[in-house]
Amino acid sequence: MAHIRWGILGAAKFAAQHMGPALHAAEGGSLAALATRDPGKADPFRAIAPDLAVHSDYDALLNDPAIDAVYIPLPNSMHVDWTLKALQAGKHVLTEKPVAMKADEIDSLIAARDAAGKLAAEAYMIVFHPQWQHTRDLVFSGQIGQLRHVEGMFCFNNADEPGNIRNQADLGGGAMRDIGVYVIGSTRFVAGCEPQQVSARIRWESGFDVFTDISARFPGFTYSACVSTRLNPYQTMTFHGDAGSVQLTAPFNGPVFGDAAVILRRAGQPDSVARFNGARQYDLQVAAFNRSALTGAAYPCPLEFSRGTQAMMDAAFADAVALD
């Protein structure tokens, strides 16, 4: 049976811990190659795939005829260029979020994707998690009545890691680009619509945001969320309706953060709790990508969806008020 042979550009820690195992385990594909200038960094990847081919530079991997698809976990500022290069080399491409720094950059990716006839997408794994599909079903089926307000929060504290790429403005660091995609994209996924007005309050540090408070108005409901890389770890999303609410207790990386539960609350009724701790969202994402790449079936999270999330982030940055 045909399958996708994956290569990874760069020996990122996240790739070694999460996406490398997923690329090798997910149905329809396997991890076959890594590009890194430091051979020692290949060891964790060889533990996943003992027959791994190791290239000393990114271009060599892109020119490897044995590789069908490339996963790109490079710093944010490098995503667009290397996604374009991978498509031009005839590879399918899965690029870490955010796939671009501006919405209009994604237009060039869409054009290159279509010209190459290959699949290109942002690695936005949460839409493949059953807790988010369940949440969307609850909202769309009217279980909470009319959706009126969405609130969310996603925080962690990496203040003691000055070398982290998330703390480097020139590499596209900051809270919004790293985790704002989650509180924004998840709302768009569940509600199925785009914001009409967006504003933000931002605390800046050395040219990147470390706290961003986002407000927005969507058709029929309001929105409020904040992200931070300077607060104690915390994450939650709640969708409030006029007849009930849905809360996700570990919406973005459960059960690592905690119990991946979806709680439906309605007046006069006991809470209904659905738990999804067994779901492996990275595996599910890669399996879906493999299916689409192999069969030509529509990919559930295309670049057009990612463009909408980036457009909302762009709007928040454009209308931001600086906090002391």
Side-chain angles (χ1 to χ4, degrees):
M1 176 178 164
H3 75 286
I4 298 296
R5 297 164 297 183
W6 283 92
I8 302 176
L9 295 189
K13 180 179 178 181
F14 178 81
Q17 292 181 339
H18 298 288
M19 283 299 294
L23 294 173
H24 204 58
E27 182 179 1
S30 61
L31 177 59
L34 172 73
T36 176
R37 290 185 295 271
D38 183 350
K41 291 185 177 180
D43 291 344
F45 296 88
R46 283 200 179 96
I48 301 165
D51 296 329
L52 188 78
V54 179
H55 296 283
S56 60
D57 64 74
Y58 301 157
D59 286 310
L61 188 149
L62 295 185
N63 291 326
D64 186 344
I67 298 304
D68 305 304
V70 175
Y71 167 64
I72 301 177
L74 300 172
N76 297 341
S77 60
M78 301 171 69
H79 288 177
V80 170
D81 287 347
W82 283 101
T83 300
L84 290 172
K85 290 178 181 179
L87 287 169
Q88 291 161 2
K91 310 300 185 187
H92 303 289
V93 195
L94 183 64
T95 302
E96 259 311 318
K97 51 76 193 165
V99 70
M101 301 286 282
K102 295 283 187 179
D104 59 7
E105 293 178 333
I106 300 179
D107 295 335
S108 67
L109 300 183
I110 291 172
R113 175 201 67 188
D114 294 346
K118 297 294 180 178
L119 176 58
E122 180 179 60
Y124 194 64
M125 74 292 184
I126 67 167
V127 300
F128 300 95
H129 198 298
Q131 70 172 341
W132 279 106
Q133 295 164 1
H134 179 61
T135 298
R136 184 173 62 173
D137 290 344
L138 290 174
V139 173
F140 265 80
S141 64
Q143 294 297 304
I144 63 171
Q146 183 68 39
L147 180 62
R148 293 303 188 194
H149 183 68
V150 177
E151 60 180 330
M153 191 169 190
F154 191 7
C155 307
F156 62 88
N157 192 336
N158 66 0
D160 61 349
E161 301 176 45
N164 191 305
I165 61 173
R166 296 166 184 82
N167 288 325
Q168 299 183 44
D170 59 341
L171 296 180
M176 180 81 96
R177 291 191 171 98
D178 188 47
I179 53 180
V181 292
Y182 294 125
V183 297
I184 289 173
S186 61
T187 299
R188 295 178 54 252
F189 175 72
V190 169
C193 60
E194 304 298 334
Q196 299 167 319
Q197 184 179 356
V198 183
S199 62
R201 299 183 303 155
I202 296 180
R203 180 168 291 112
W204 299 94
E205 182 179 302
S206 302
F208 57 90
D209 66 305
V210 297
F211 175 88
T212 297
D213 181 16
I214 316 159
S215 297
R217 182 169 55 84
F218 284 78
F221 68 94
T222 52
Y223 169 91
S224 176
C226 70
V227 292
S228 178
T229 54
R230 295 295 184 268
L231 293 177
N232 191 59
Y234 183 76
Q235 56 183 264
T236 187
M237 289 291 296
T238 304
F239 296 79
H240 297 276
D242 54 18
S245 67
V246 178
Q247 180 189 11
L248 293 90
T249 58
F252 307 121
N253 57 1
V256 175
F257 174 77
D259 188 22
V262 177
I263 307 171
L264 173 63
R265 296 185 173 97
R266 290 176 290 187
Q269 300 184 38
D271 291 353
S272 173
V273 182
R275 289 184 168 83
F276 299 90
N277 288 320
R280 299 175 63 87
Q281 58 187 355
Y282 299 109
D283 292 23
L284 293 170
Q285 173 185 240
V286 175
F289 190 99
N290 290 341
R291 284 193 298 272
S292 292
L294 289 168
T295 68
Y299 186 62
C301 190
L303 287 174
E304 287 81 357
F305 176 85
S306 299
R307 192 192 190 286
T309 297
Q310 186 62 56
M312 187 169 169
M313 286 200 293
D314 291 351
F317 278 129
D319 196 35
V321 173
L323 296 172
D324 294 333

